[in-house]
Amino acid sequence: MDIREIQLYLHLCDTLHFARTAEQMHVSPSTLSRALQRLEQQAGCRLLERDNRSVRLTRGGEEFRRFAADTLAGWQQLRSRLDPNQQQLRGLLNLYCSVTAAYSHLPALLDRFRREHPLVEIVLNTGDAANAMAEVQQNRADIAIAALQDPFPDSLHFAPMDTIPLTVIGPQIPCRVRELLEEKEIPWDRLPFIVPEHGPGRKRIDNWFKAMGIGANIYAKVSGHEAIVSMVALGCGVSVSPEVVVQHSPMRDRIALLPSPVAIPPFELGCCCKAKRRDDPLIAAFLAAIGSAK
């Protein structure tokens, strides 16, 4: 199979948008469509279903995406082994992290990596930190910046970077929530809480509720700590958030850090990748950049 067509297919799997993939991969829509048709002929099945409104992967398309990702990774490894004169790494590395991590931890890490490997192309996608491991497991990212989860999947490798404290946050602005916080004893069981939908942040706050011995009044379940901090700043409720998210939020002046009656374990932040790919040249080089910072 043509490696370029496999690259096009993997990009299309990420975007599920023909025009966007064609633009970002610098091909015409007709070229992209023909490449997909050839892959479908070779695979012997439909890989994508599309209509005027949406594009989705078929079951065969999901299986072919995993095959395509493994094939591309194997090709990149083979090129590195077969080219003894290649003194600098080349290729493409897909990274995933939260918006906050893109401000707080990624710049220095990328600066170190690019100094050593200037010919490697970095593709960065941002989103909810709670989805970081899934992005790697589903082959949408080679490496993701994530908080260490318990239990941690055996199929993934975790390279620690930093320890991230968590804190209870509330609104600084005059509002009903602020009035409750200013009572002589904070009525934790009456406060409206904004919690993550899932992930290690949700587990931390659920454990905090148990340690506090309160039945939490859940006001909203939100995707992403950045959105949670914004809702707290607007007076919608209180939450437990990584301090680094508050520090990098444009709403930080509207946030009050609250003393917690019980200790909240910090996050261990690091980079995760598939365990079987940790020795891939590009991934190994990126993990080495983490180690060089310690």
Side-chain angles (χ1 to χ4, degrees):
M1 292 183 176
D2 186 283
I3 293 297
R4 176 60 172 169
E5 290 181 352
I6 286 179
Q7 292 173 324
L8 292 173
Y9 177 72
L10 289 173
H11 194 283
L12 184 56
C13 288
D14 289 339
T15 64
L16 294 178
H17 195 287
F18 275 76
R20 191 176 308 149
T21 287
E23 178 183 1
Q24 294 178 0
M25 296 296 286
H26 308 292
V27 297
S28 68
S30 60
T31 297
L32 178 60
S33 294
R34 287 194 298 270
L36 177 62
Q37 290 171 3
R38 283 191 292 269
L39 290 177
E40 289 179 329
Q41 289 172 358
Q42 293 169 325
C45 69
R46 294 290 300 273
L47 301 178
L48 293 169
E49 296 286 353
R50 53 174 165 167
D51 53 33
N52 293 332
R53 294 186 177 181
S54 64
V55 177
R56 67 178 183 84
L57 288 170
T58 65
R59 181 177 298 180
E62 289 282 3
E63 292 190 20
F64 190 80
R65 177 168 67 175
R66 290 190 287 271
F67 164 79
D70 289 343
T71 299
L72 184 60
W75 169 247
Q76 291 170 343
Q77 290 182 57
L78 180 64
R79 286 189 63 191
S80 297
R81 292 196 299 269
L82 293 181
D83 185 1
N85 297 319
Q86 181 176 304
Q87 298 180 0
Q88 289 186 308
L89 283 176
R90 301 170 186 266
L92 183 146
L93 197 62
N94 286 286
L95 303 181
Y96 178 90
C97 68
S98 69
V99 172
T100 295
Y103 294 144
S104 61
H105 289 78
L106 193 57
L109 180 55
L110 276 186
D111 286 348
R112 289 193 298 273
F113 180 77
R114 283 173 169 149
R115 280 196 296 269
E116 297 293 327
H117 310 289
L119 301 181
V120 175
E121 180 183 356
I122 301 294
V123 176
L124 175 64
N125 288 297
T126 59
D128 186 356
N131 297 330
M133 291 200 318
E135 292 292 310
V136 173
Q137 290 170 318
Q138 296 172 19
N139 296 313
R140 289 195 290 265
D142 300 309
I143 294 177
I145 296 180
L148 181 63
Q149 297 191 21
D150 184 22
F152 189 76
D154 292 336
S155 62
L156 297 182
H157 169 72
F158 185 85
M161 295 171 56
D162 198 4
T163 299
I164 306 297
L166 283 83
T167 187
V168 185
I169 59 173
Q172 191 80 268
I173 62 172
C175 61
R176 175 55 183 161
V177 176
R178 188 67 209 169
E179 291 174 2
L180 292 172
L181 292 174
E182 290 176 347
E183 291 187 11
K184 186 175 181 181
E185 292 188 8
I186 296 177
W188 297 104
D189 57 340
R190 290 163 50 202
L191 289 170
F193 280 91
I194 303 164
V195 302
E197 290 181 334
H198 62 283
R202 179 60 184 269
K203 189 170 184 178
R204 282 290 194 280
I205 197 168
D206 285 344
N207 289 341
W208 185 77
F209 290 147
K210 292 178 183 178
M212 291 281 288
I214 61 174
N217 171 25
I218 305 297
Y219 171 79
K221 300 176 183 178
V222 179
S223 174
H225 286 287
E226 293 84 5
I228 290 174
V229 170
S230 293
M231 290 186 68
V232 171
L234 294 171
C236 298
V238 298
S239 189
V240 172
S241 175
E243 288 185 5
V244 67
V245 178
V246 179
Q247 293 166 358
H248 287 84
S249 172
M251 310 282 275
R252 60 185 175 274
D253 293 338
R254 299 167 64 95
I255 292 290
L257 304 184
L258 308 174
S260 174
V262 298
I264 307 173
F267 282 151
E268 185 172 8
L269 190 73
C271 285
C272 69
C273 65
K274 285 193 171 181
K276 66 181 182 180
R277 296 192 61 201
R278 61 181 294 186
D279 293 326
D280 287 8
L282 294 181
I283 292 177
F286 196 87
L287 297 179
I290 299 172
S292 68
K294 297 180 180 180

